[in-house]
Amino acid sequence: MTVARRRQVVWWLRGAALAAFLVYLPGYFASRQGGLVEVERRLNHPVLLLGTAVALAVVSAVAQVEFRTRWAQIGCAAVLSPLLFIGAAVGALAYYFGGDGRLVARTPDPNRADHVLSVTDVAFSIDPVYRVELLTGSGWSARHWGLGTWEEHDGFVRAEWSAPGRITVTLEKKIEVFTVGEDGALGGPSVEPRPR
């Protein structure tokens, strides 16, 4: 391969690595409080996108090196090929199985259909891990506000609308109450011990 051709391939690989990283950024920022639900769902895949960016950057660094002998080229290919194959397999599996979790409950506010309380089991194991979120809006403008994540040993019992604009999360030892503003922003929580 000529020097000019190698340099062109290296810059194409680096450009593709940068593109994968830039595609991931909106998904990362959408995963925060008030982020867009659909953007997070489609673009927040760090294993797949960041893994691709790192793999392409490594391949571009190797492609930049000029190997003097054919055996050096074969040895480098023999080391990198399994690593790239394993990385691609891990990324594909993470994308396929690393979904949004199993929906446990989805309840709209009694007075506002565009405010929905969502409880999702996001555990990768048998023991449940409950993520409680408030979803506001609909379609591409829908946003999410996290109330918290509780594991089974935290004593999560339920999350429900206790009144219009008021969410109560009941745990074994305490109760957390959140207020929901007209714009969907969360206030609270106020914490009180659970009566026995």
Side-chain angles (χ1 to χ4, degrees), residues 27-193:
Y28 169 74
F29 288 116
S31 69
R32 296 178 172 194
Q33 287 283 62
L36 295 170
V37 174
E38 287 299 318
V39 173
E40 179 192 15
R41 185 172 293 142
R42 295 174 192 274
L43 300 179
N44 189 24
H45 300 287
V47 173
L48 179 66
L49 293 172
L50 293 182
T52 300
V54 169
L56 289 171
V58 168
V59 169
S60 75
V62 170
Q64 191 174 8
V65 175
E66 182 179 346
F67 294 101
R68 301 247 180 228
T69 66
R70 183 174 257 353
W71 286 108
Q73 292 173 351
I74 292 171
C76 183
V79 170
L80 280 183
S81 296
L83 292 178
L84 290 175
F85 177 75
I86 291 168
V90 167
L93 288 173
Y95 181 79
Y96 184 73
F97 290 111
D100 298 329
R102 181 181 61 83
L103 185 65
V104 175
R106 185 177 172 89
T107 315
D109 183 327
N111 286 353
R112 299 219 27 191
D114 63 336
H115 289 180
V116 177
L117 178 63
S118 170
V119 180
T120 309
D121 180 5
V122 294
F124 289 111
S125 65
I126 296 172
D127 297 330
V129 176
Y130 298 104
R131 180 178 65 206
V132 181
E133 289 184 308
L134 171 65
L135 306 175
T136 61
S138 62
W140 280 94
S141 64
R143 295 185 176 276
H144 64 94
W145 308 89
L147 282 77
T149 302
W150 292 275
E151 296 183 26
E152 186 177 32
H153 66 78
D154 295 326
F156 178 83
V157 177
R158 69 180 166 274
E160 62 190 350
W161 292 98
S162 53
R166 184 179 164 132
I167 299 171
T168 301
V169 177
T170 306
L171 305 170
E172 270 183 26
K173 298 182 180 176
K174 63 182 177 178
I175 295 173
E176 297 185 11
V177 179
F178 299 84
T179 56
V180 181
E182 286 297 316
D183 61 348
L186 286 174
S190 64
V191 180
E192 55 192 62

